[in-house]
């Protein structure tokens, strides 16, 4: 907002094209442009140069004196360039999220089948305790990989990392498909959890780095959308096919991902950081089209990389900056609120909620209905996140989820104290089903997709991998904790009280979002850093010394 205000005052938007010709000079005999650094200070003689460029340069100097760095002035702006290649690349990347979604949804239709006495899907018996471990061990695998995968993708690149993950995904599914013991099933689930957790870090980072500011939120929400599609696929297909056939289909998904994603470009930001500028230019052309001013954006990326190289900062210094600390707090807090929102409690109670509402729908159908609601609501979120913004969707999500959890708590409390057949409970038969549906919709609009994209929005590239990976680790550990302790907590304090606890957490989340989280819709990384408390660099300071 600060920069936009300055731009409006000085009319920079009207003279941007002229200013660009002054901010860059030709180098050598070719058309390669070199940014003029540092920013040209204002001098008394600048008004007497007698040419238009001097006038524009004077404007640039005035901007610099007011705290707007030349980095921001030469940053790529506007909505030019083709969007379709970016949509295709993002969807290709999130096919890995589809594979992760099938991994998450697998246990719902399968564990019940394989823990039945004399199950025909495997040639060995599986107890309920073993089935619980088979279902939940993916969380531990995902938590274990999130931090190291951040180091790997910074070393070899986002694209190569995701392609490499096809191997553990395929190996894990083969162990599950042809398993001859409980140990093989647990091992296969652990390995697929590792691959799925790694995708939860790399795919959002890749998507945020290939997208233009105007569609970054939309592309970022595709990750959660494909997760929900994968879960729905598992619910629908896993419920009505044999376990063997379902496992084979799940094995094919990461292979299809590899074939499609192989033809997508690497992240231009990563390539520039690695000083592979020619490859970065080719990647930008693939992502933006030939009519887009690729050199303009490439110069901005190179400028940022050069600044980082010329002013090296240790990792400790980078991670302890005021802007970094605030970004970390926001990313971690959103992951905590997401997992403590009660989403797993609602999913676990789906069958009882449908039954309490008087519906005679089989549990498998009820689960599929919930999956469909998730997919539709997440798709709607992808359409509006760059129009309404992240902050308003998170506020709406937290408020509605708080109200729905409160309503569910009231229903289950009355049911436990007055009995299922009491008049007061029967008169509220509609409340749990309505609350469940609205809860799922609200979660899918806000707290489902947005926490995963915030590390890409808020963090500089030097800490993005670390924050994204550690936030992912926190998310998976919380998921495992909530999943493994929910039933015990439900028995200890009662269903109604558990839902009221979740409602209180979401109320705290609403207050946190309102006072702490900035709106990142359509903002460049430089603008977001200023919103987090950074002071725009004034390059004239050094010139005046």
């Amino acid at each position: 907002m600060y920069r936009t205000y300055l731009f409006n005052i000085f009319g920079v938007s009207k003279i941007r094209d002229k200013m660009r010709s002054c901010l860059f000079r030709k180098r050598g005999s070719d058309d390669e442009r070199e940014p003029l650094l540092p920013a040209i200070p204002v001098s008394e003689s600048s008004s007497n140069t007698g040419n238009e460029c001097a006038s524009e340069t004077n404007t640039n100097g005035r901007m610099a004196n007011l705290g707007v760095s030349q980095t921001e002035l030469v940053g790529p702006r506007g909505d030019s360039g083709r969007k379709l290649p970016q949509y295709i690349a993002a969807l290709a990347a999130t096919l890995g999220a589809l594979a992760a979604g099938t991994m998450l949804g697998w246990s719902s239709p399968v564990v019940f089948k394989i823990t039945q006495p004399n199950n025909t899907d495997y040639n060995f018996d599986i107890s309920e305790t073993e089935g619980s471990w088979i279902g939940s061990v993916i969380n531990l695998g995902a938590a274990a990989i999130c931090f190291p995968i951040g180091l790997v993708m910074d070393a070899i690149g986002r694209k190569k990392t995701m392609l490499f993950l096809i191997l553990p995904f395929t190996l894990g599914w083969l162990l599950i498909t042809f398993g001859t013991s409980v140990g093989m099933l647990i091992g296969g689930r652990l390995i697929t959890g590792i691959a799925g957790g790694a995708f939860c870090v790399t795919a959002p980072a890749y998507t945020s780095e290939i997208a233009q500011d105007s569609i970054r939120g939309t592309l970022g929400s595709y990750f959660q959308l494909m997760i929900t599609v994968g879960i729905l696929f598992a619910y629908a297909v896993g419920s009505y096919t044999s376990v063997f056939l379902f496992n084979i289909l799940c094995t094919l998904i990461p292979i299809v991902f590899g074939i499609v994603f192989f033809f997508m470009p690497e992240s231009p930001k990563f390539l520039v950081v690695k000083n592979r500028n020619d490859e970065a230019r080719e990647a930008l052309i693939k992502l933006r089209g030939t009519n887009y001013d690729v050199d303009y954006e490439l110069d901005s990326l190179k400028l940022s990389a050069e600044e980082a190289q010329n002013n090296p900062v240790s990792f400790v210094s980078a991670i302890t900056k005021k802007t970094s600390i605030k970004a970390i707090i926001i990313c971690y807090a959103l992951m905590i609120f997401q997992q403590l929102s009660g989403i797993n409690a609602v999913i676990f109670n789906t069958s009882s909620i449908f039954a309490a509402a008087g519906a005679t729908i089989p549990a498998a159908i009820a689960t599929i209905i919930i999956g469909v609601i998730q997919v539709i609501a997440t798709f709607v979120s992808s359409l509006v996140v760059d129009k309404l913004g992240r902050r308003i969707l998170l506020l709406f999500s937290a408020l509605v989820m708080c109200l729905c959890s409160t309503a569910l708590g009231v229903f289950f409390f009355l049911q436990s104290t007055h009995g299922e057949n009491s008049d007061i409970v029967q008169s509220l038969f509609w409340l749990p089903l309505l609350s469940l549906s609205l809860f799922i919709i609200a979660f899918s609009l806000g707290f489902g997709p947005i926490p995963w994209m915030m590390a890409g929005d808020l963090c500089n590239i030097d800490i993005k991998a670390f924050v994204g990976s550690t936030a992912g680790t926190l998310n998976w550990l919380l998921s495992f904790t909530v999943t493994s302790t929910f039933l015990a907590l439900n028995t200890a304090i009662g269903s109604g009280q558990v839902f009221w606890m979740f409602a209180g957490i979401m109320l705290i989340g609403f207050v946190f979002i309102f006072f702490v989280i900035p709106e990142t819709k359509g903002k460049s990384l430089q603008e977001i850093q200023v919103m987090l408390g950074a002071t725009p660099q004034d390059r004239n300071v050094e010139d005046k010394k």
Side-chain angles (χ1 to χ4, degrees):
M1 293 179 64
Y2 174 67
R3 186 177 65 176
T4 303
Y5 175 70
L6 292 176
F7 275 18
N8 290 336
I9 289 178
F10 291 99
V12 174
S13 61
K14 297 179 180 179
I15 60 174
R16 183 180 292 123
D17 291 338
K18 295 178 182 178
M19 184 179 293
R20 282 172 54 194
S21 66
C22 302
L23 288 173
F24 292 94
R25 64 165 175 260
K26 290 188 176 181
R27 182 172 58 198
S29 59
D30 56 13
D31 291 331
E32 183 179 2
R33 293 176 298 173
E34 179 184 16
L36 293 174
L37 290 176
I40 302 174
V42 181
S43 65
E44 294 295 330
S45 61
S46 63
S47 60
N48 299 323
T49 56
N51 60 62
E52 193 174 40
C53 274
S55 175
E56 304 297 341
T57 302
N58 186 45
T59 301
N60 179 41
R62 294 166 65 192
M63 297 288 287
N65 284 333
L66 288 166
V68 178
S69 70
Q70 185 167 302
T71 302
E72 295 187 43
L73 286 175
V74 300
R77 309 295 298 158
D79 296 332
S80 61
R82 294 183 62 197
K83 304 296 191 300
L84 181 60
Q86 298 171 62
Y87 282 103
I88 293 173
L91 286 172
T94 53
L95 283 176
L98 177 66
T102 59
M103 171 199 74
L104 290 169
W106 180 90
S107 58
S108 180
V110 172
V111 170
F112 176 77
K113 293 180 180 179
I114 63 177
T115 54
Q116 297 302 305
N118 301 318
N119 79 85
T120 58
D121 296 294
Y122 290 102
N123 296 324
F124 51 91
D125 294 332
I126 303 172
S127 68
E128 290 188 4
T129 301
E130 292 169 336
S132 177
W133 269 101
I134 292 170
S136 62
V137 74
I138 58 169
N139 296 291
L140 297 180
I145 194 60
C146 283
F147 179 70
I149 202 63
L151 302 177
V152 172
M153 72 178 189
D154 272 351
I156 67 174
R158 282 68 168 136
K159 179 180 177 179
K160 287 183 179 178
T161 300
M162 285 193 281
L163 290 176
F164 173 78
L165 292 174
I166 299 170
L167 295 178
F169 240 138
T170 304
L171 174 61
W173 280 117
L174 289 175
L175 287 174
I176 294 170
T177 304
F178 300 102
T180 57
S181 66
V182 172
M184 287 185 68
L185 294 185
I186 292 177
R189 290 283 287 170
L190 181 67
I191 294 173
T192 56
I194 290 172
F199 266 112
C200 290
V201 176
T202 52
Y206 175 83
T207 302
S208 71
E209 292 177 9
I210 66 168
Q212 291 177 268
D213 294 338
S214 60
I215 60 172
R216 190 176 64 245
T218 298
L219 299 191
S221 65
Y222 284 172
F223 171 79
Q224 181 68 18
L225 176 62
M226 295 301 279
I227 286 281
T228 60
V229 171
I231 293 173
L232 177 59
F233 173 84
Y235 288 169
V237 178
S239 298
Y240 296 101
T241 62
S242 68
V243 173
F244 178 80
L245 178 58
F246 178 43
N247 289 341
I248 291 294
L249 294 175
C250 290
T251 306
L252 293 176
I253 292 176
I255 297 174
V256 173
F257 156 76
I259 295 172
V260 174
F261 190 65
F262 178 81
F263 299 97
M264 298 299 113
E266 176 60 275
S267 160
K269 288 185 179 180
F270 169 80
L271 293 172
V272 169
V273 168
K274 294 300 182 180
N275 201 30
R276 294 155 60 182
N277 296 326
D278 291 339
E279 295 177 57
R281 191 176 191 279
E282 293 176 2
L284 284 171
I285 291 174
K286 290 181 180 179
L287 292 166
R288 310 286 192 262
T290 55
N291 294 327
Y292 178 76
D293 190 354
V294 171
D295 292 324
Y296 185 31
E297 182 171 351
L298 182 61
D299 286 330
S300 178
L301 295 175
K302 290 164 64 177
L303 179 59
S304 298
E306 289 171 3
E307 286 179 342
Q309 292 174 359
N310 296 333
N311 301 284
V313 178
S314 68
F315 177 76
V316 174
S317 299
I319 208 71
T320 54
K321 290 190 301 184
K322 178 174 66 174
T323 54
S324 299
I325 292 173
K326 189 170 183 179
I328 291 171
I329 291 173
I330 292 173
C331 292
Y332 287 4
L334 287 178
M335 290 301 189
I336 292 172
F337 289 129
Q338 183 196 67
Q339 286 302 320
L340 299 185
S341 65
I343 182 63
N344 287 322
V346 170
I347 295 298
F348 289 163
N349 280 274
T350 297
S351 298
S352 61
I353 290 173
F354 271 83
T360 57
I361 302 174
I365 299 297
T367 306
I368 292 172
I369 291 174
I370 294 302
V372 170
I373 292 175
Q374 280 187 297
V375 171
I376 294 174
T378 307
F379 177 70
V380 172
S381 176
S382 71
L383 297 178
V384 301
V385 67
D386 277 322
K387 296 180 175 63
L388 298 180
R390 284 74 153 155
R391 190 169 180 269
I392 189 65
L393 288 176
L394 284 172
L395 287 170
F396 170 81
S397 182
L399 180 60
V400 173
M401 290 165 69
C402 176
L403 295 175
C404 291
S405 293
T406 302
L408 287 168
V410 169
F411 181 85
F412 282 110
F413 176 78
L414 292 174
Q415 190 180 63
S416 64
T417 55
H418 296 280
E420 296 182 2
N421 298 320
S422 63
D423 292 338
I424 188 171
V425 172
Q426 291 298 314
S427 66
L428 295 174
F429 73 94
W430 51 270
L431 182 61
L433 188 56
L434 177 64
S435 300
L436 170 68
S437 301
L438 291 178
F439 186 97
I440 294 296
I441 291 171
F443 177 84
S444 301
L445 285 174
F447 265 99
I450 293 176
W452 290 105
M453 68 175 71
M454 290 306 287
D457 275 6
L458 296 174
C459 300
N460 280 313
I461 194 168
D462 55 350
I463 67 167
K464 184 182 297 184
F466 171 80
V467 176
S469 59
T470 52
T473 300
L474 176 63
N475 185 281
W476 287 105
L477 287 175
L478 286 171
S479 176
F480 177 78
T481 302
V482 172
T483 302
S484 59
T485 62
F486 170 70
L487 293 178
L489 187 63
N490 201 50
T491 302
I493 65 175
S495 299
Q497 288 82 346
V498 170
F499 279 106
W500 287 338
M501 181 183 68
F502 291 141
I505 292 172
M506 293 317 299
L507 181 60
I508 296 172
F510 180 89
V511 174
F512 177 85
I513 296 163
F514 186 85
F515 287 105
V516 177
I517 296 183
E519 179 54 72
T520 61
K521 176 189 69 173
K523 299 292 192 299
S524 68
L525 181 59
Q526 291 86 353
E527 290 174 301
I528 293 171
Q529 294 303 301
V530 172
M531 294 167 68
L532 291 174
T535 302
Q537 296 178 359
D538 185 354
R539 296 184 185 277
N540 285 327
V541 172
E542 295 298 326
D543 293 336
K544 292 177 181 179
K545 289 183 179 179

